[in-house]
């Protein structure tokens, strides 16, 4: 009975260690990366939606690469784009883009490293 109890306690300790290791708080970089992917996917979904509003076709392209310095200008342009504000999906997307921009220039300013400043790469992703 005692060896079984020791084995059960070890199993509980191991599972607890795994849970603690996987629940580490997100870093600034991981938050920016996740949010940029979420925004890019939401924009793609908006463009391929069956009931797409014609103004969505006029929106600036929104492919985000947080390792490209030009992403900051891309986010500013998208948020400042005057059309489509009446669409809830576009307004929500602009709000997420504004949040990402704020996080990048304020909270994560020293944590991010830009590997390139190729603005064309954001217009024509590979």
């Amino acid at each position: 009975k005692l060896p079984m109890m020791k084995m059960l306690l070890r199993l509980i300790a191991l599972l607890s260690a795994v849970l603690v290791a996987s629940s580490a708080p997100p870093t600034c970089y991981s938050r920016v990366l996740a949010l940029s992917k979420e925004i890019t996917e939401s924009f793609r979904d908006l463009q391929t939606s069956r009931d797409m509003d014609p103004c969505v076709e006029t929106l600036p392209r929104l492919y985000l690469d947080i390792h490209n310095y030009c992403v900051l200008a891309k986010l500013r342009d998208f948020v400042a784009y005057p059309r489509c504000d009446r669409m809830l999906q576009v307004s929500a997307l602009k709000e997420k883009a504004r949040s990402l921009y704020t996080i990048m220039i304020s909270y994560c300013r020293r944590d991010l490293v830009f590997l390139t400043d190729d603005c064309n790469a954001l217009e024509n992703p590979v």
Side-chain angles (χ1 to χ4, degrees):
K1 193 172 187 177
L2 192 59
M4 182 66 124
M5 187 65 116
K6 283 183 179 180
M7 191 152 85
L8 185 59
L9 286 173
R10 286 182 186 158
L11 180 61
I12 291 171
L14 178 65
L15 290 174
S16 297
V18 169
L19 286 175
V20 168
S22 66
S23 65
T27 62
C28 221
Y29 174 77
S30 66
R31 176 68 182 129
V32 166
L33 186 62
L35 188 54
S36 69
K37 286 180 180 180
E38 180 183 334
I39 292 169
T40 300
E41 289 173 15
S42 294
F43 181 73
R44 194 174 304 130
D45 291 344
L46 183 65
Q47 284 190 314
T48 59
S49 174
R50 284 191 342 218
D51 54 329
M52 179 180 69
D53 192 287
C55 76
V56 172
E57 294 177 3
T58 65
L59 286 170
R61 289 181 56 110
L62 195 58
Y63 168 73
L64 303 178
D65 175 7
I66 62 163
H67 303 103
N68 188 333
Y69 185 73
C70 292
V71 75
L72 296 173
K74 176 66 86 175
L75 287 167
R76 275 193 313 267
D77 292 346
F78 185 79
V79 169
Y81 193 73
R83 296 188 184 159
C84 297
D85 284 340
R86 68 183 183 277
M87 287 187 63
L88 291 177
Q89 299 98 325
V90 174
S91 294
L93 198 56
K94 284 185 175 184
E95 193 56 41
K96 284 182 184 179
R98 185 178 291 111
S99 294
L100 178 61
Y101 181 80
T102 302
I103 291 169
M104 290 180 76
I105 65 166
S106 298
Y107 304 111
C108 299
R109 185 178 68 237
R110 293 183 186 108
D111 296 341
L112 297 178
V113 175
F114 298 106
L115 304 175
T116 182
D117 62 350
D118 183 5
C119 296
N120 287 330
L122 295 178
E123 293 299 320
N124 303 305
V126 178

